[in-house]
Amino acid sequence: MLRLAAGIAARSYAVDLVLIKREGAYLDSIPPGVRLVVLNTRRTLNSVAALAGYLRRERPAAMLTALVHVNVGALLASTLSRARTRVIVTEHSQITRNFAALTSRTVKLAYRMVPRVYPLATRVVAVSGGVADDLATFSGMGRDTISVIHNGIVTPELYARAAEPCDHPWLAPGEPPVIMAAGRLAPVKDFAALIRAFADLRARRRARLLILGEGELRGELEKLASDLGVADDVGMPGFYANPYAVMSRASVFVQSSQWEGLPSVLVEAMACGTPVVATDCPGGTREIMDDGRLGILVPMNDDQAMADAILRTLDQPVQTNEMARKVEEFTLDRAVDTYLELALGPQAVRRPLVHPRMAQPEAGVNR
């Protein structure tokens, strides 16, 4: 959402980022031109009332929201405020799977309100067709009432950072090929399956596996690599300041997830020109890879198929010009154009310089 807020602000719109509390990992990353508004509330009901007050005072032209409990709260606040703000709620993940894993009673209640509350939105947006299908099943909404807008992932900055030097010794000229993955070290990413597949591959060919990211499964994954005898060829350096410089030099990028919304790292890898292999999991993976035309899709829970697919990709990578054409669907400019048209109408895209305010609760838009 910060990237989208920055893109809208760059078109000379006034954009507010509305937070319940002044906290979070990205506070230092709020882009220039985006005003931070903090509601300073503790309880969910108080947050709804505070947001309603903000809407009455500021009268934003549109409000863009994300996360189910935030979406529901924003729609309730909009109803209370009686402001004529267009509310666009977005879904970024598989709502049915997220609901099954919930432990918070408050958040569970918000999910249960989705079928009644989401129809109040001006527009409901999913980041992929797979997410839209899942939301339609969960909510009972007609699939044709849910728009699909891909995240704005690809920017000129991504390409510039991909071209920067990379000092990782495994990526020096003459070293064995590096298979790369990135994401939270969490069950949904299923990096254990990737490590098992890599052990199979490593028995047949020299190679190395580099997994960028941090999470609660680090110890288990390190133990698995050791037990399989590949610890010396599996690197997990944690957070990497510039993952794109690594991506652009890796031989293959692998996504091993059990489900996704719209996997940004897969798009980023393709933008970097890196061949991709991915599990054919629920979500947007198949859309990104053009039903397997732009990389091999493998069944989930099939380590052998993943190892074979990586080997085949090392030998016969997809042409980078085909991937480059595909990633044009995921540019920030394209996403900004689409959201502005939804929020303010077609004239907002054609005439980007005389602009009203837009608001984003934990990401939204104001007039």
Side-chain angles (χ1 to χ4, degrees):
M1 281 292 195
L2 280 180
R3 190 181 289 147
L4 183 60
I8 293 172
R11 304 284 183 92
S12 300
Y13 284 94
V15 178
D16 285 353
L17 179 66
V18 182
L19 302 178
I20 294 172
K21 298 177 184 177
R22 190 184 182 89
E23 61 184 21
Y26 298 102
L27 279 177
D28 293 337
S29 304
I30 295 172
V34 174
R35 183 178 72 165
L36 181 63
V37 176
V38 183
L39 300 179
N40 281 323
T41 58
R42 293 185 179 182
R43 298 178 64 84
T44 303
L45 287 177
N46 291 343
S47 299
V48 170
L51 182 57
Y54 164 84
L55 294 173
R56 281 192 293 269
R57 287 192 311 275
E58 299 291 338
R59 300 282 174 178
M63 178 166 60
L64 174 63
T65 68
L67 300 177
V68 171
H69 61 290
V70 176
N71 293 342
V72 168
L75 288 166
L76 294 176
S78 176
T79 302
L80 281 173
S81 73
R82 298 187 179 181
R84 300 179 66 181
T85 298
R86 294 171 64 84
V87 183
I88 301 166
V89 302
T90 63
E91 279 298 330
H92 293 250
S93 189
Q94 298 281 315
I95 192 169
T96 53
R97 292 176 182 267
N98 290 343
F99 179 68
L102 288 175
T103 56
S104 166
R105 289 183 180 181
T106 302
V107 178
K108 272 190 175 181
L109 176 61
Y111 272 70
R112 291 193 177 103
M113 294 174 69
V114 164
R116 289 181 176 273
V117 176
Y118 270 34
L120 300 174
T122 307
R123 188 61 65 96
V124 177
V125 173
V127 296
S128 70
V131 169
D133 293 343
D134 183 62
L135 176 58
T137 300
F138 182 88
S139 66
M141 297 172 64
R143 175 61 180 80
D144 60 345
T145 67
I146 303 169
S147 302
V148 174
I149 303 177
H150 293 145
N151 289 337
I153 298 165
V154 179
T155 63
E157 290 75 22
L158 186 156
Y159 292 118
R161 295 184 70 195
E164 291 177 2
C166 180
D167 59 2
H168 196 289
W170 286 6
L171 295 164
E175 292 295 317
V178 170
I179 295 113
M180 179 188 168
R184 289 180 299 113
L185 306 184
V188 64
K189 301 301 181 183
D190 204 3
F191 289 130
L194 175 56
I195 291 172
R196 291 193 298 269
F198 175 74
D200 182 319
L201 178 154
R202 185 65 186 85
R204 295 182 261 171
R205 176 180 297 193
R206 284 195 71 202
R208 287 169 172 153
L209 172 62
L210 203 56
I211 303 174
L212 305 188
E214 198 52 81
E216 67 270 23
L217 295 186
R218 168 175 287 279
E220 290 182 29
L221 295 173
E222 289 174 340
K223 183 178 185 303
L224 177 61
S226 178
D227 291 345
L228 293 173
V230 293
D232 289 344
D233 291 317
V234 175
M236 287 188 283
F239 174 78
Y240 219 81
N242 183 1
Y244 310 119
V246 178
M247 277 180 183
S248 64
R249 291 162 176 83
S251 298
V252 182
F253 182 90
V254 181
Q255 176 196 288
S256 52
S257 301
Q258 291 288 308
W259 75 86
E260 287 284 353
L262 186 81
S264 297
V265 288
L266 200 58
V267 175
E268 290 166 344
M270 291 168 62
C272 289
T274 306
V276 293
V277 169
T279 47
D280 192 10
C281 65
T285 300
R286 180 171 279 273
E287 292 167 58
I288 293 169
M289 295 174 67
D290 247 7
D291 294 324
R293 191 177 65 86
L294 299 178
I296 301 174
L297 289 163
V298 300
M300 293 183 293
N301 308 311
D302 192 335
D303 305 343
Q304 178 74 57
M306 184 178 290
D308 292 344
I310 296 169
L311 280 169
R312 196 151 68 249
T313 303
L314 286 170
D315 293 333
Q316 296 177 308
V318 171
Q319 294 296 312
T320 56
N321 59 340
E322 294 187 41
M323 292 193 294
R325 281 193 292 270
K326 183 65 179 179
V327 299
E328 286 299 311
E329 298 177 18
F330 303 93
T331 63
L332 179 58
D333 276 345
R334 184 166 179 162
V336 169
D337 285 347
T338 309
Y339 275 110
L340 281 176
E341 186 166 353
L342 270 187
L344 303 176
Q347 72 282 356
V349 178
R350 290 197 297 270
R351 294 184 290 128
L353 290 178
V354 187
H355 296 325
R357 181 175 246 28
M358 306 182 74
Q360 307 200 356
E362 296 194 312
V365 194
N366 301 347
R367 186 167 244 166

